[in-house]
Structures are given as C-alpha cells and as structure tokens.
Amino acid sequence: MSFTLSAAALTACSDDKDATSATPAPGTLDIEVSHVVGSAPLTLNSSTFYTTASGQQFKVSTFNYYLSNFKLKKADGTEYAAPESYFLIRESDPATKAFTLKDVPAGDYTSLTFTLGVDSVRNVSGAQTGALDPSNGMFWTWNSGYIYTKLEGSSPQAGGNQQLVFHIGGFKKPNNTIRTLSPSLNGAVVQVRNGRTPTVHLQADVLKMFTGVTTIDFAKLSNTMGGPSSVLVADNQAAGMLRVDHVHGN
C-alpha cells in the first residue's frame, strides 16, 4: 500500500513538473505612439498653422489622451487582457509615448484592442494613482470623471478669444465618449516570447478629431467639455484617429 501511494505521488510530481516546464515563459510587448497632423509631425505651439480638411486653420498647445484596457487576441480567438493597463499619453512628454505591457503570455497575436479613454468603473472609483492620478490635470473634479482627450490651442476661425478647448470625456448615456478601438495590424503577427521585444507603433492623427463622421467647424464648435458636442469628436476619433503604422518583430 505504502509503495503504491509513493509511486502515485512520484507520478503526480513528475506530471506537475512536465506541465510547468511545458508552459513557455511570458514576454513583453512595447507600444510606441507618434503624433501627426495629416502628413506633418505634430509640433506644439508651432509658428505656422495647421489646416483642416475644410480649410480652417489651427495651432495646438496641448495634446493629451488616455489609452487603456489593452487586449491581445490570437487567431484561435484566445484573448489576453492586460491588467491595470492605463496610460496617459502627452505630446509634451516624450517618455509617455512609449510604454510596455509586461507578463504577456507567449503566443502569436493577430489582434490588438484598447480603449481610447477610461472605463466607467474607474471614473467612479475615487482617487486613483499613477496615470489616473487627478493631479495629472485630466480629471474633472466638478464632474467626477476623466478627460479622455485634452486638445487645446487656437484658431482664427474660432469665436471670441479664438481659443480651442476640446476636453473629450463622459461615460453616461447619451453622452458616453468612451471608445473601444481595434486598429488593423496590417497583416502582422505580434510574436510574444521570452527574450523577444516586439513593438507595435501607433500613430495618432490630430486632424481626424475634426473630420470623419462629422466635420467640425471651429466657428460653431471651439469649446467642449463633455456633452453632445464631445460625442461628435469622439465618434471622429473612433473613425480613424489611431492606426497601427508598423510592427517590429523583435
């Protein structure tokens, strides 16, 4: 009897060891972001104006936004959701335009999904830290919610003081501006392995905030802080502001 139990225990230990050794070590995925205005790089407080598709001119002094809740999916439908993946991208801070998803299960991923903004749960979870810290200037204390995208600047076509203030946020219907994006990887396969460092390079086009589903006329809309006007901009963003420019395999 004793011999039988010992043999069984040894077999179980051996199986556990085999199972452990058969699981490949996780890897990482780097995400890099660049900002453009059409075909030109975005320059804050540029000396010359950028021009929208409708011919209106503008400059940008601030361009910040949240990317969060990253998910990777394999061709067989298996999905991995990166925990606590909240990142605040700021054009003024190059360090924020590159970040890493750690401990990603090894595999070949064919789809990338993320949120442009912050999920509704975190909007009502009280004071947060890190990228979600209200001290980052991306939280409405008067409205208990995050500003998902903050674009500020100026335009000769804007009324009043010619200032542009686009603070896009809100999670309650009918003015929910959270958008989930799955930009095409353009046929690339992201191979996550221990010892490899694949990189997905995203490109955000500021012009796409003002054209697409709705053409934004600065003479009529130059200041929005949530509400129906912000929904118009969020829909434009979802229609193509962020795309995958290229994927590095290692």
Side-chain angles (χ1 to χ4, degrees):
M1 181 63 176
S2 175
F3 173 79
T4 303
L5 289 174
S6 297
L10 286 172
T11 301
C13 289
S14 178
D15 289 346
D16 290 346
K17 183 178 180 180
D18 289 345
T20 301
S21 62
T23 303
T28 61
L29 173 60
D30 290 342
I31 306 289
E32 294 182 357
V33 188
S34 62
H35 299 150
V36 298
V37 185
S39 58
L42 171 63
T43 300
L44 297 181
N45 303 305
S46 61
S47 58
T48 58
F49 287 102
Y50 297 110
T51 304
T52 68
S54 60
Q56 297 191 325
Q57 296 178 307
F58 69 101
K59 294 181 179 180
V60 179
S61 59
T62 300
F63 184 53
N64 304 337
Y65 56 92
Y66 279 106
L67 299 181
S68 64
N69 294 304
F70 279 78
K71 297 179 180 178
L72 290 161
K73 184 182 289 186
K74 299 177 183 176
D76 64 3
T78 305
E79 189 174 73
Y80 168 72
E84 296 297 319
S85 49
Y86 296 90
F87 303 95
L88 173 57
I89 316 300
R90 291 180 289 203
E91 170 58 24
S92 61
D93 184 359
T96 67
K97 296 192 286 183
F99 52 89
T100 300
L101 305 180
K102 300 178 180 177
D103 298 323
V104 179
D108 295 344
Y109 295 96
T110 57
S111 175
L112 175 69
T113 298
F114 53 84
T115 296
L116 176 57
V118 178
D119 53 87
S120 59
V121 173
R122 289 304 178 101
N123 273 273
V124 296
S125 296
Q128 306 289 310
T129 59
L132 297 178
D133 192 320
S135 67
N136 290 319
M138 295 290 284
F139 189 82
W140 286 313
T141 55
W142 56 270
N143 195 32
S144 297
Y146 285 93
I147 303 169
Y148 308 149
T149 300
K150 177 185 283 188
L151 183 143
E152 297 175 347
S154 62
S155 170
Q157 285 76 43
N161 59 10
Q162 300 187 339
Q163 296 301 297
L164 298 180
V165 179
F166 286 87
H167 293 186
I168 311 304
F171 60 92
K172 298 178 182 178
K173 295 180 178 179
N175 297 320
N176 184 351
T177 58
I178 299 170
R179 295 293 181 269
T180 300
L181 310 181
S182 298
S184 171
L185 294 177
N186 306 313
V189 176
V190 180
Q191 297 180 318
V192 176
R193 304 280 191 280
N194 184 28
R196 294 175 64 93
T197 54
T199 303
V200 173
H201 190 112
L202 299 171
Q203 189 175 78
D205 186 351
V206 173
L207 276 182
K208 300 293 186 181
M209 292 181 63
F210 308 126
T211 188
V213 181
T214 302
T215 298
I216 303 300
D217 180 349
F218 294 146
K220 298 177 180 177
L221 177 57
S222 59
N223 188 317
T224 178
M225 297 185 181
S229 294
S230 286
V231 172
L232 299 178
V233 178
D235 287 341
N236 281 349
Q237 291 178 287
M241 189 183 88
L242 280 147
R243 70 179 188 87
V244 174
D245 185 66
H246 59 272
V247 176
H248 287 301
N250 198 358

